[in-house]
Amino acid sequence: KALALIGPISDLAIEKDRMGAAFGRKLERVRKYSKSNDPDWPMPRALSPVMLGARRYISLHDPKSREDVFPYHNSAAQWSALKKVRVPLAIVIGQRDQHMGKWSATQLVEVFRKNATATRRFTGIVVPRSNHSFTKTYKEVAKELANWILNN
């Protein structure tokens, strides 16, 4: 048994980085909107440039959400889910992942390494020239994962 996390990125970190100081105000506007509108219906473009309902937006972006399982944006985070992983663990991140925000792929690998305290073996894989979807680098990803599986 082993676990590979492919492109483990935090939606909350992305949105906080994208919105900057306006992030908290936007989250409050979305909460207010969800109370007076159908929270599952797509929000107006002024609130979300992507097709998301308010409930889903809050689930992805609320710092208290259970969905924020990769809280690298929060230095005080507990990483409770990752700290329970005992099997060999691989983190695979594209070097040019467009959703990393201010972090580099190497920095993210190191944050995961630091917080994967219970795993028997940690492997960080940064795929050169690759984006979040690993477009045009599928063969490299497959080769890296195959090697990792064979060695675990």
Side-chain angles (χ1 to χ4, degrees):
K1 292 181 181 180
L3 175 65
L5 298 175
I6 316 297
I9 300 295
S10 167
D11 290 291
L12 173 55
I14 296 164
E15 190 71 350
K16 282 178 85 171
D17 188 56
R18 187 179 76 80
M19 297 290 302
F23 172 75
R25 291 188 304 276
K26 179 176 181 180
L27 188 57
E28 285 309 311
R29 283 194 352 246
V30 171
R31 283 189 179 116
K32 185 177 178 182
Y33 176 86
S34 73
K35 290 176 183 171
S36 59
N37 294 277
D38 182 344
D40 296 316
W41 192 254
M43 294 185 292
R45 273 207 178 293
L47 282 177
S48 179
V50 296
M51 191 181 256
L52 281 178
R55 185 187 326 263
R56 182 70 179 134
Y57 183 91
I58 293 167
S59 176
L60 288 171
H61 302 107
D62 187 330
K64 296 175 186 158
S65 173
R66 300 171 107 197
E67 203 161 336
D68 189 28
V69 295
F70 307 130
Y72 50 83
H73 54 88
N74 179 357
S75 60
Q78 296 299 310
W79 289 79
S80 55
L82 188 66
K83 288 183 177 178
K84 294 177 185 174
V85 175
R86 299 192 189 302
V87 297
L89 173 65
I91 302 296
V92 183
I93 299 176
Q95 178 189 26
R96 296 181 183 159
D97 190 314
Q98 65 273 32
H99 302 299
M100 289 187 297
K102 63 183 179 181
W103 299 273
S104 71
T106 304
Q107 288 172 318
L108 288 181
V109 166
E110 289 311 309
V111 171
F112 278 87
R113 181 186 314 279
K114 178 181 134 195
N115 288 286
T117 55
T119 186
R120 289 194 304 259
R121 185 179 358 230
F122 180 92
T123 304
I125 301 168
V126 176
V127 183
R129 303 171 316 281
S130 191
N131 62 16
H132 184 69
S133 300
F134 301 98
T135 307
K136 299 181 182 179
T137 58
Y138 299 122
K139 288 181 183 178
E140 291 92 332
V141 173
K143 183 179 176 181
E144 290 283 352
L145 283 173
N147 287 334
W148 177 74
I149 291 167
L150 289 172
N151 293 310
N152 287 289

